Amino acid sequence: MGYGEAIKTAIFLFPFIALFFTVPFMLHQYHKYGSIDKWRVVIIYSFILYLLVIYFLVILPLPKREDVLNNTNMIRLQPFAFVVDFMKESSFVWNDASTYLKAMTESCFYVPAFNILMTIPFGIYLRYYFQCSFKKTLLYSFCLSLFFEITQVTGLYFIYPKPYRLFDLDDLFLNTLGGVLGYFIAAFFLKVLPSREEIDERSLKEGKTVSGLRRITLFFLDLFLYTFLGGLTKPFIPIPFYLLIFFILYYVVYPTLTRGYTLGGKFLHVRVQFPKYTFLRQAVRIVFLFFYYFGLPILFLYGAGILYYFLSFSVVEALWYWLIVGSFFLGFYFIHFVKLLKKKTLFYDRWFHVLYESTI
């Protein structure tokens, strides 16, 4: 894979990979602060995306295994060799300004320059968001560079029989220098952007109320935990209708014993409360929500099978029915989520007089 193909792959794939790694962080933020600060998400998402990009720039393009068998002298321990290379190979002449621009396009200049630029954002992130001192920034920048060099000298952790990139002592120096420069550049960002303390205070303030996004997160987190734990324990407890029994235990019995917490609610610090008849209201509400969000769509989709067998619908007609009905329900429930995001009360919350309390 050449640099061109690697860049194309990165553009389309890396944003999704970064998002995948950002989701657990977002859940952690809900657990810690009770809210997700948009600016914090942007910082962490961009930081993960940045690390992905520079890591793959270090290891790509990947050569064929047979191409590295004859590699020798893949370790250079001469300090400041990049200066010697520049003096020997560059067309730079100090008293001729016309050579400056040309020299910047030569590899003896832009390769060392890239090694510096590559870690400047790392130093900015460390000081601005992670609040690292100068010494820690220096140390972490060096460790990041050392990790890259070890990756190269081991042939991508011994996947290749020999190194396919040069282990260069100068890279350790230049990468570390980039992190240090980023530390000083971060002073500008500290002046114009909200500080970490301001982000934390804002998050805690917003976390004292249960937002619509927090409720949506709670819904899907509980659904995931119920499905995962139910599927994990079912083979060991062969009881008829086990998942139904586990459903009642998870969504009704456990919240009643814990004064309104599900397992997801414990993690997100959200408690569901009712004015009276807690166990009965909780049970009826959960059964209604299960039927409303899952039973009803399944019932209509199952109707396609009835039409297929009894009304001589063709396979294509049945598929169109599934597509139309499925799209209708997705759109219908999407409206519910939009209402929650706009902090509107849904009709079934009014029916059951349910209150969502933040216990952050």
Side-chain angles (χ1 to χ4, degrees):
M1 180 185 289
Y3 275 113
E5 293 180 4
I7 291 172
K8 290 179 182 178
T9 302
I11 290 174
F12 289 102
L13 192 59
F14 284 5
F16 295 101
I17 298 176
L19 180 62
F20 175 79
F21 284 105
T22 305
V23 169
F25 167 79
M26 293 169 65
L27 289 175
H28 175 262
Q29 294 306 299
Y30 261 141
H31 173 70
K32 187 175 181 180
Y33 299 103
S35 67
I36 297 178
D37 187 273
K38 297 180 181 64
W39 181 238
R40 193 197 304 274
V41 173
V42 169
I43 294 171
I44 297 301
Y45 176 80
S46 62
F47 181 63
I48 295 173
L49 183 60
Y50 157 72
L51 291 178
L52 281 171
V53 169
I54 62 172
Y55 176 74
F56 279 91
L57 283 174
V58 167
I59 68 171
L60 295 178
L62 298 176
K64 296 179 180 179
R65 289 179 61 86
E66 55 269 22
D67 292 342
V68 305
L69 294 177
N70 297 323
N71 285 352
T72 57
N73 299 323
M74 299 301 289
I75 298 177
R76 187 166 73 167
L77 301 178
Q78 178 186 354
F80 302 106
F82 71 95
V83 178
V84 177
D85 292 342
F86 182 79
M87 299 302 295
K88 289 182 177 180
E89 303 173 11
S90 173
S91 58
F92 174 80
V93 179
W94 71 271
N95 58 355
D96 186 356
S98 64
T99 64
Y100 292 2
L101 187 60
K102 182 181 178 182
M104 293 175 64
T105 64
E106 297 168 343
S107 61
C108 57
F109 173 83
Y110 67 70
V111 170
F114 173 76
N115 278 308
I116 296 174
L117 293 173
M118 186 173 70
T119 52
I120 286 178
F122 187 68
I124 294 174
Y125 280 109
L126 288 182
R127 183 179 181 184
Y128 167 65
Y129 183 76
F130 297 101
Q131 299 181 317
C132 291
S133 64
F134 175 81
K135 290 182 179 179
K136 285 186 177 182
T137 302
L138 178 68
L139 175 62
Y140 293 157
S141 298
F142 175 80
C143 289
L144 179 67
S145 179
L146 183 62
F147 169 70
F148 289 155
E149 296 305 309
I150 291 175
T151 300
Q152 293 175 338
V153 78
T154 58
L156 197 58
Y157 322 116
F158 305 104
I159 293 176
Y160 288 91
K162 289 185 177 181
Y164 64 92
R165 292 284 184 87
L166 179 69
F167 178 98
D168 195 339
L169 183 64
D170 283 345
D171 289 349
L172 290 173
F173 168 73
L174 294 171
N175 291 156
T176 304
L177 176 61
V180 170
L181 291 175
Y183 174 87
F184 290 108
I185 294 173
F188 168 76
F189 292 93
L190 289 170
K191 292 180 179 179
V192 299
L193 297 177
S195 67
R196 174 70 179 271
E197 289 79 8
E198 291 172 341
I199 296 174
D200 290 347
E201 291 176 4
R202 186 169 59 197
S203 298
L204 286 171
K205 183 178 179 180
E206 293 176 354
K208 292 180 180 180
T209 59
V210 181
S211 65
L213 182 59
R214 196 168 167 191
R215 283 186 54 183
I216 295 171
T217 306
L218 174 64
F219 177 85
F220 285 105
L221 180 59
D222 274 328
L223 181 62
F224 168 78
L225 290 174
Y226 162 73
T227 305
F228 176 75
L229 295 175
L232 195 65
T233 57
K234 186 177 183 294
F236 304 100
I237 311 176
I239 302 175
F241 307 108
Y242 170 75
L243 290 179
L244 176 61
I245 296 172
F246 188 76
F247 179 83
I248 296 172
L249 290 173
Y250 185 94
Y251 281 103
V252 181
V253 176
Y254 182 80
T256 301
L257 296 176
T258 57
R259 298 187 302 166
Y261 288 108
T262 59
L263 288 178
K266 277 280 188 182
F267 182 80
L268 296 177
H269 298 288
V270 176
R271 181 166 59 189
V272 179
Q273 290 188 312
F274 301 89
K276 55 183 179 178
Y277 310 121
T278 300
F279 183 85
L280 180 60
R281 287 180 184 273
Q282 181 81 352
V284 175
R285 172 179 172 271
I286 288 299
V287 171
F288 171 81
L289 291 179
F290 180 82
F291 177 78
Y292 185 72
Y293 281 103
F294 299 101
L296 195 61
I298 293 173
L299 184 64
F300 274 90
L301 292 174
Y302 181 73
I306 298 176
L307 295 173
Y308 176 73
Y309 284 108
F310 294 100
L311 298 181
S312 300
F313 266 37
S314 66
V315 175
V316 175
E317 289 173 326
L319 288 175
W320 271 109
Y321 177 87
W322 281 333
L323 179 62
I324 294 171
V325 173
S327 300
F328 168 77
F329 277 107
L330 286 175
F332 182 69
Y333 295 139
F334 180 74
I335 294 174
H336 286 48
F337 291 152
V338 171
K339 286 185 176 180
L340 284 176
L341 293 175
K342 292 184 176 181
K343 300 180 180 181
K344 293 185 179 180
T345 304
L346 298 180
F347 70 93
Y348 49 74
D349 289 337
R350 292 193 295 269
W351 284 4
F352 296 104
H353 303 285
V354 63
L355 299 174
Y356 289 86
E357 178 187 2
S358 174
T359 57
I360 192 71

